[in-house]
Amino acid sequence: MRNFTVFLFLVFACSHLQAQKINTVQGTVVNDNSFLPVDDVNIINITKVKGTISKRDGTFAVEADLNDSIHVSYPGYIPIKLKVTNDWLNQEGLKVYLTEQTTQLEEIYIQKYDLTGYLEVDTKLISLNDKMEFNFYKRNQTPYYGTAIGTFFSPVDAVYNLFKSKASKLKKIDSIKEDTNMVTLMQSRYDREIVCGLLEITREDIVSTLQNCNYTDKFIYTASDFQIYQALNDCFSNSQIIVDNKKSTSN
C-alpha cells in the first residue's frame, strides 16, 4: 500500500511538472545575402506577448506554443512573421533569413533660384526664397518635451477607425507590464519595430495617431517603444469614450 501511494505521488508530481513546462522555440537570425549572423534583432511572440533579442551569434530562444505568431524585425531589414509549427518546436533551431531594405534614389538637380536676368526682379526672388526657407524651418522646429498636452481634441474618428479592430492587441499592455523582460526590452527600444509588430501598423500610423491625440513631436520621436505603446493605448481609449458619447447623444 505504501509503495502504491509513493507511485501515485510520483505520477502526480510528473504530471504537474509537465503541465508547468514552458515551451520555447530556438533559431538563428542571418543576413540572407551575406549569411552572417544578425544580432540585437527583435524576436516577439505576438500571441503571448513575450520577447527577446538575438545574441551576438544570431541565436535566440523565445517562449512559444504551437501556432503562435513570432515577429522578427530589425531597423534596415524587412520584418517577417513566422508561425510556430510542430517541426519548429521539436527541432533545436531554425535559420531565419532577414532581407535588407533597399531604397533606390534617383539623381536630381535642385536649382536654388530660377533667376530672370533682371536685377530688380531677381533681388526680390532671392529675398522671398530665403524668407520661405526660414519660415519652413521655424514651423518645423521640435517643440519642448512633453507627453499629452491639453485636452483630446483631434480627429477622433480617424484614431478610432484605425484601432477599433486592434483593441484586444492594445489591451495587451497589461500583459506587457506583468512581464519584466518585455518591459525592459521595450523601454530600451526606440525604433518602433516592436510596436508595429504587435499592432500590425506602420510608423506613419503611429506618428499620425499621436499627432491627432495632441502629443508633442519630441515625445513621438524620442519616447521609448514602451511609452509609445502606452500612449497609443490611451489615445484609443480616449477616442472610444468620445465616440461612445457621440453615439449616446445622437440616440
Side-chain angles (χ1 to χ4, degrees), residues 71-218:
H71 188 264
V72 183
S73 63
Y74 187 76
Y77 287 85
I78 300 173
I80 59 175
K81 187 184 289 186
L82 305 170
K83 178 154 284 191
V84 177
T85 62
N86 278 316
D87 289 340
W88 193 4
L89 282 169
N90 295 327
Q91 65 184 18
E92 291 186 358
L94 177 76
K95 279 285 179 66
V96 179
Y97 296 91
L98 284 186
T99 303
E100 292 185 58
Q101 290 179 330
T102 56
T103 304
Q104 186 173 0
L105 298 177
E106 295 182 1
E107 184 177 357
I108 59 174
Y109 175 72
I110 301 176
Q111 186 172 350
K112 186 174 183 181
Y113 306 118
D114 188 10
L115 302 180
T116 65
Y118 295 95
L119 181 60
E120 185 178 354
V121 177
D122 290 344
T123 301
K124 291 181 179 179
L125 283 174
I126 292 171
S127 176
L128 178 62
N129 189 82
D130 290 342
K131 187 171 185 285
M132 289 174 65
E133 286 185 353
F134 172 77
N135 288 339
F136 177 83
Y137 170 76
K138 188 175 181 180
R139 284 197 306 273
N140 288 275
Q141 282 182 326
T142 305
Y144 184 76
Y145 176 82
T147 55
I149 55 176
T151 56
F152 192 91
F153 61 92
S154 36
V156 177
D157 291 337
V159 176
Y160 179 76
N161 291 334
L162 176 63
F163 287 101
K164 64 181 178 181
S165 62
K166 307 178 188 299
S168 60
K169 295 177 181 178
L170 281 165
K171 288 178 181 177
K172 288 181 177 179
I173 188 67
D174 294 329
S175 300
I176 293 173
K177 289 179 179 178
E178 293 173 2
D179 188 332
T180 307
N181 291 332
M182 274 297 292
V183 172
T184 302
L185 176 59
M186 293 185 71
Q187 284 180 337
S188 67
R189 295 299 192 182
Y190 299 85
D191 52 41
R192 310 297 178 249
E193 292 287 351
I194 295 178
V195 180
C196 291
L198 286 172
L199 298 177
E200 297 179 350
I201 58 176
T202 65
R203 289 184 180 84
E204 289 75 17
D205 291 331
I206 294 173
V207 172
S208 63
T209 298
L210 294 180
Q211 286 175 340
N212 286 340
C213 294
N214 206 26
Y215 282 81
T216 65
D217 283 350
K218 189 159 189 179

Side-chain angles (χ1 to χ4, degrees), residues 15 24 46 52 61 63 69 90 121 132 137 142 156 160 181 197 200 232-233 236 248 251:
S15 300
T24 61
I46 299 175
T52 186
E63 181 180 335
S69 293
N90 295 327
V121 177
M132 289 174 65
Y137 170 76
T142 305
V156 177
Y160 179 76
N181 291 332
E200 297 179 350
L232 291 172
N233 183 64
F236 173 70
S248 61
N251 293 334

Side-chain angles (χ1 to χ4, degrees), residues 26-32 36 38 41 43 58 60 70 72-73 80 82 88 93-99:
Q26 302 176 28
T28 304
V29 184
V30 297
N31 183 301
D32 72 338
L36 294 175
V38 185
V41 175
I43 315 292
F60 67 88
I70 309 297
V72 183
S73 63
I80 59 175
L82 305 170
W88 193 4
L94 177 76
K95 279 285 179 66
V96 179
Y97 296 91
L98 284 186
T99 303

